[in-house]
Amino acid sequence: MKINKIKHSSSIFVLKNTSIKQAMKILNFSRFKTLLVVENLKEKKLIGSVTDGDIRRALINGFKLNNKVEKISFKNCFYIMNLRE
């Protein structure tokens, strides 16, 4: 299993009010294929995560591209902190 180390990569974090369309564009170029939805970029308080599968299911269920990514994010996600950095 390859473990990718995320330092201070802004390409993985999106604000909760980002549109689904904009999130799709960011995901297309992200090497991690998952976005972390946060309150603000300074504190990075985690709200949820979004993958391309989440977006596909949301569109099938009637969400529009201009809806906010917070509405479709997976809220029960978790993260691991590296305390040695």
Side-chain angles (χ1 to χ4, degrees), residues 16-30:
K16 66 180 183 177
N17 60 354
T18 302
S19 71
I20 292 173
K21 183 177 182 177
Q22 186 62 33
M24 286 172 62
K25 290 179 182 179
I26 296 168
L27 263 175
N28 195 40
F29 294 104
S30 173

Side-chain angles (χ1 to χ4, degrees), residues 6-7 9-16 18 23 26-27 30 32-41 44-51 69 73-74 77-80:
I6 303 170
K7 290 224 178 209
S9 174
S10 62
S11 64
I12 191 170
F13 297 105
V14 293
L15 294 172
K16 66 180 183 177
T18 302
I26 296 168
L27 263 175
S30 173
F32 295 106
K33 302 304 179 200
T34 300
L35 297 177
L36 300 178
V37 182
V38 295
E39 278 285 330
N40 64 55
L41 293 176
K44 293 186 175 76
K45 179 182 173 191
L46 185 63
I47 294 174
S49 65
V50 174
T51 64
V69 76
S73 66
F74 179 66
C77 65
F78 66 93
Y79 63 95
I80 299 171

